[in-house]
Amino acid sequence: MQWRALVLGLVLLRLGLHGVLWLVFGLGPSMGFYQRFPLSFGFQRLRGPDGPASPASGPAGRPGTPGGPSGPSWLQPQVPGPAAGRRRAPRRPEPDVCGPGHWGYVLGGRGRGRDEYEKRYSGAFPPQLRAQMRDLARGMFVFGYDNYMAHAFPEDELNPIHCRGRGPDRGDPSNLNINDVLGNYSLTLVDALDTLAIMGNSSEFQKAVKLVINTVSFDKDSTVQVFEATIRVLGSLLSAHRIITDSKQPFGDMTIKDYDNELLHMAHDLAVRLLPAFENTKTGIPYPRVNLKTGVPPDSNNETCTAGAGSLLVEFGILSRLLGDSTFEWVARRAVKALWNLRSNDTGLLGNVVNIQTGHWVGKQSGLGAGLDSFYEYLLKSYILFGEKEDLEMFNAAYKSIQNYLRRGREACNEGEGDPPLYVNVNMFSGQLMNTWIDSLQAFFPGLQVLIGDVEDAICLHAFYYAIWKRYGALPERYNWQLQAPDVFFYPLRPELVESTYLLYQATRNPFYLHVGMDILQSLEKHTKVKCGYATLHHVIDKSTEDRMESFFLSETCKYLYLLFDEENPVHKSGTRYMFTTEGHIISVDEHLRESPWKEFFSEEGGQDPVGKSGHRPRPHELKVINSSSNCNRVPDERRYSLPLKSVYMRQIDQMVGLI
């Protein structure tokens, strides 16, 4: 009997020890110890997309367990066949696995618990604090703009560390990082025009417009990228022209005495100088670069990225409709259709680099970031502006292909098991994962999802990027989600995360996004402000800087931050009247831009139906485009997203603890 009692005692002791370990190390109900063991998306640091997974432990059905997948769902290929289009029934999250108690840890205050979380993020954003942040955003713009005018004008950019101007690199024509953007046409001043108007600074807007009219010329021996010249310069000229000539614009007295459509004429002159890019290409896809004086360089590259060639339709279309000349819209629309007809028959996806003569894909990577981002954006925004049904049809088909092949992770954004949703880079023909990094430009996509009403997915993807920002105080240009570390370390003051934050706040009215904006503002002030402006971060970890302030910092980053906190801005009171271009230039949406006497001509020239190659395996939900401005004041079920931050809609960031 003693022997049996001893054996029984040892068994019970072992079971008790297992039970304690089970509780302490997060395998059972949480007792607060989990905060010392940050989550890591439930996957190990694997060797590569095709490499074997390291052993991992976890509940059944998760990576590394019998019956579960061999790695995180982000690494798993999409299931071929019709089954891929069916959503699995989401599973409700287990209580307290990633509850609000994590917020203290995520935001740097370990162990503060639920009260601190609710205090900082769930309460209202005080009006005084909001006004303070609005003034800080305005001051940020003014500091950068005034220093550009004092130390750099009439050159293109400001070197904020050494307080001097920067123009094209004449000594090294191969320095495309500089020469693609800088055309010796006072770029930063031109790019900032409508930001001055949105901030209500009528006197400086009028002064700047007159300065542009009197000093800027495009008769320059400058070789520039067609895409950059279009979105930064052409788009700004058109935006400012519309503000000056629109008697109903709400920003104050922006009229220019004796204005005779000079900005429109300048836009026309620039566009004519860009037209040679569309000539002598067998596909209709434009050359990536032109010389403003001599046309396409003799040694021009025949390869171009999809975004660069296919994101010209908004600006070129506006110009055509203002002038009554179909040429510009026609060449831009022809390029979009040519790219669209080159997409994969199997996946409906496009690659990121194409040969403009052969139509062969040089870069077969399909993703949402560099090389493709604004192509998708302009399919939707072209429809919003011009009302052309084929633009919406192309966007809907592209979005379904994106959801089918690029979106990985659990089916439901805020429910069920598996990794949080993420959009990865895949092979355009097979849909197979190509690498394990994403780039900062992809942070624009939640804002685009807001415009089509896919707010839940927008919340999750935005949360992923905000978690990275919280870790580094900036967004690295490339982030490896497998290694949980940057691949490319610099941050050139990009606006994409700010833009999505602004649009999500307009859609949800959740004060969480005001806190996000405040974090971004404070990070920029702390890490990038230098003697004469704001400098590019060379390294997001050590916060070393580069002597460059790109023009989009004033035209987009400062603008979206200001609008986020300026509740009374006329943009927010205009209903669905305004939309922003990919460079953040404001454009009014009205019937005048929907008048197209050449519509039938476009249809005849377009050849086959642009959506003839329908995307395979569509998901069951139908897209509902909100035909509205980027401020998106009204979206379906707005109250649904106005819940306190401890709601399930913030579960995504709780799961980012492993990144912080």
Side-chain angles (χ1 to χ4, degrees):
M1 294 294 294
Q2 291 180 347
W3 176 79
R4 291 182 178 177
L6 180 61
V7 172
L8 180 60
L10 290 173
V11 171
L12 292 175
L13 179 62
R14 184 174 182 180
L15 290 174
L17 180 60
H18 276 285
V20 171
L21 292 174
W22 187 71
L23 290 172
V24 170
F25 290 101
L27 299 177
S30 170
M31 296 182 67
F33 298 103
Y34 62 84
Q35 289 192 349
R36 300 182 184 178
F37 302 93
L39 303 178
S40 60
F41 286 123
F43 62 88
Q44 302 298 312
R45 298 186 179 189
L46 310 178
R47 285 201 294 267
D50 300 319
S54 301
S57 60
R62 291 189 180 179
T65 60
S70 60
S73 59
W74 294 344
L75 291 175
Q76 304 308 311
Q78 297 294 85
V79 179
R86 297 196 296 268
R87 286 188 179 272
R88 296 184 295 273
R91 178 181 173 184
R92 299 293 298 181
E94 297 177 5
D96 292 330
V97 171
C98 294
H102 271 307
W103 273 94
Y105 184 90
V106 171
L107 301 165
R110 301 189 184 199
R112 295 181 182 177
R114 197 177 296 264
D115 291 342
E116 179 65 21
Y117 158 80
E118 293 184 2
K119 177 182 177 181
R120 183 171 181 184
Y121 284 93
S122 294
F125 202 86
Q128 303 93 321
L129 181 59
R130 186 166 184 159
Q132 181 183 346
M133 292 300 105
R134 178 201 62 206
D135 293 343
L136 181 59
R138 182 195 287 118
M140 182 178 289
F141 171 83
V142 170
F143 185 67
Y145 178 84
D146 285 352
N147 274 287
Y148 166 78
M149 296 303 299
H151 302 291
F153 177 81
E155 295 193 70
D156 287 310
E157 283 182 352
L158 170 67
N159 287 356
I161 297 176
H162 289 97
C163 304
R164 59 188 181 216
R166 180 201 295 266
D169 187 352
R170 302 296 191 189
D172 182 10
S174 66
N175 186 1
L176 300 181
N177 183 46
I178 298 297
N179 293 327
D180 271 358
V181 177
L182 309 188
N184 194 21
Y185 38 39
S186 303
L187 173 64
T188 296
L189 174 62
V190 175
D191 213 1
L193 290 177
D194 66 303
T195 307
L196 291 167
I198 286 174
M199 291 187 177
N201 193 341
S202 58
S203 60
E204 189 61 34
F205 174 79
Q206 293 163 344
K207 178 182 175 181
V209 168
K210 292 177 183 177
L211 202 55
V212 168
I213 293 172
N214 293 329
T215 66
V216 174
S217 168
F218 301 119
D219 188 22
K220 306 283 188 180
D221 183 18
S222 298
T223 299
V224 296
Q225 191 185 85
V226 175
F227 171 71
E228 295 289 359
T230 297
I231 66 170
R232 299 200 197 201
V233 182
L234 182 63
S236 185
L237 293 172
L238 293 171
S239 175
H241 168 74
R242 297 280 285 169
I243 290 171
I244 295 168
T245 57
D246 182 4
S247 60
K248 297 180 181 179
Q249 63 82 16
F251 303 113
D253 182 11
M254 301 292 166
T255 57
I256 306 294
K257 185 179 180 181
D258 299 323
Y259 180 72
D260 190 24
N261 297 323
E262 285 91 345
L263 295 185
L264 180 61
H265 297 321
M266 292 178 68
H268 184 206
D269 177 44
L270 175 60
V272 168
R273 295 174 186 274
L274 298 177
L275 279 181
F278 297 87
E279 300 171 0
N280 301 317
T281 76
K282 296 179 181 178
T283 61
I285 301 170
Y287 284 93
R289 298 172 185 88
V290 296
N291 183 286
L292 296 178
K293 188 182 284 285
T294 62
V296 177
D299 58 347
S300 185
N301 192 349
N302 283 326
E303 297 174 2
T304 190
C305 70
T306 303
S311 305
L312 310 172
L313 183 52
V314 166
E315 290 83 3
F316 274 47
I318 292 171
L319 180 63
S320 273
R321 295 177 188 230
L322 290 179
L323 295 174
D325 180 351
S326 66
T327 303
F328 307 100
E329 182 174 349
W330 183 81
V331 295
R333 191 171 291 279
R334 181 180 61 171
V336 171
K337 291 181 179 180
L339 288 164
W340 185 251
N341 288 329
L342 292 175
R343 70 195 187 281
S344 168
N345 285 315
D346 296 321
T347 66
L349 298 173
L350 294 89
N352 59 341
V353 181
V354 68
N355 186 298
I356 66 171
Q357 302 296 353
T358 66
H360 292 155
W361 290 104
V362 179
K364 299 177 178 61
Q365 176 177 298
S366 191
L368 299 180
L372 277 156
D373 51 351
S374 53
F375 176 80
Y376 302 122
E377 178 185 2
Y378 269 22
L379 289 179
L380 178 63
K381 290 186 175 180
S382 295
Y383 168 72
I384 293 173
L385 271 180
F386 309 132
E388 301 290 349
K389 186 179 179 181
E390 64 178 0
D391 295 334
L392 177 60
E393 291 172 345
M394 285 187 285
F395 175 81
N396 282 345
Y399 193 76
K400 289 178 181 178
S401 293
I402 289 168
Q403 295 298 314
N404 289 339
Y405 291 97
L406 272 58
R407 188 184 187 277
R408 302 292 172 87
R410 58 176 175 262
E411 292 287 339
C413 174
N414 288 292
E415 295 180 332
E417 292 183 341
D419 300 306
L422 182 69
Y423 292 83
V424 299
N425 299 318
V426 304
N427 183 290
M428 64 171 290
F429 295 109
S430 66
Q432 297 298 308
L433 188 69
M434 288 192 70
N435 50 57
T436 59
W437 53 260
I438 52 176
D439 62 61
S440 63
L441 290 172
Q442 185 185 322
F444 92 98
F445 198 67
L448 189 64
Q449 290 181 306
V450 167
L451 292 184
I452 63 170
D454 198 353
V455 180
E456 289 193 33
D457 246 31
I459 287 171
C460 276
L461 186 58
H462 173 274
F464 180 88
Y465 278 95
Y466 176 52
I468 299 173
W469 184 285
K470 286 298 298 181
R471 182 175 185 179
Y472 301 108
L475 275 185
E477 192 72 352
R478 281 187 184 177
Y479 183 84
N480 192 309
W481 47 259
Q482 178 190 14
L483 301 178
Q484 298 185 41
D487 275 349
V488 179
F489 290 86
F490 72 90
Y491 168 66
L493 309 174
R494 289 199 188 280
E496 284 75 19
L497 180 61
V498 184
E499 176 186 9
S500 289
T501 301
Y502 164 63
L503 294 172
L504 272 165
Y505 177 70
Q506 291 299 315
T508 66
R509 295 296 174 178
N510 197 317
F512 166 72
Y513 296 105
L514 299 176
H515 287 282
V516 173
M518 183 169 66
D519 278 345
I520 294 173
L521 261 174
Q522 292 172 340
S523 294
L524 292 171
E525 282 290 310
K526 180 179 180 180
H527 301 306
T528 71
K529 190 173 185 178
V530 293
K531 182 179 179 181
C532 292
Y534 294 84
T536 291
L537 282 183
H538 175 72
H539 200 291
V540 297
I541 296 178
D542 65 24
K543 302 300 186 292
S544 56
T545 56
E546 295 180 15
D547 199 10
R548 187 178 189 185
M549 187 180 81
E550 292 218 39
S551 67
F552 53 64
F553 177 70
L554 298 182
S555 72
E556 295 184 84
T557 307
C558 292
K559 178 185 294 168
Y560 287 127
L561 282 169
Y562 179 79
L563 286 172
L564 174 65
F565 295 108
D566 187 23
E567 181 114 30
E568 300 303 314
N569 195 278
V571 173
H572 304 142
K573 299 180 180 298
S574 63
T576 60
R577 191 178 174 200
Y578 289 103
M579 186 193 80
F580 294 102
T581 70
T582 194
E583 184 71 8
H585 298 306
I586 195 164
I587 296 294
S588 58
V589 181
D590 56 44
E591 290 300 321
H592 180 62
L593 291 179
R594 294 191 168 220
E595 297 173 2
S596 174
W598 50 79
K599 182 175 181 179
E600 293 183 2
F601 172 70
F602 282 158
S603 299
E604 293 172 1
E605 290 291 315
Q608 70 178 79
D609 182 356
V611 287
K613 302 177 183 178
S614 60
H616 287 241
R617 301 182 291 164
R619 292 184 182 272
H621 65 283
E622 292 293 326
L623 297 175
K624 297 181 179 179
V625 173
I626 300 170
N627 183 6
S628 69
S629 65
S630 289
N631 63 307
C632 204
N633 276 324
R634 293 290 180 267
V635 297
D637 301 323
E638 180 179 309
R639 289 173 296 177
R640 181 181 183 187
Y641 303 102
S642 301
L643 304 173
L645 263 292
K646 60 185 178 181
S647 74
V648 295
Y649 295 105
M650 293 303 105
R651 179 171 178 251
Q652 169 78 1
I653 300 182
D654 289 341
Q655 291 192 311
M656 295 295 162
V657 172
L659 291 178
I660 303 303

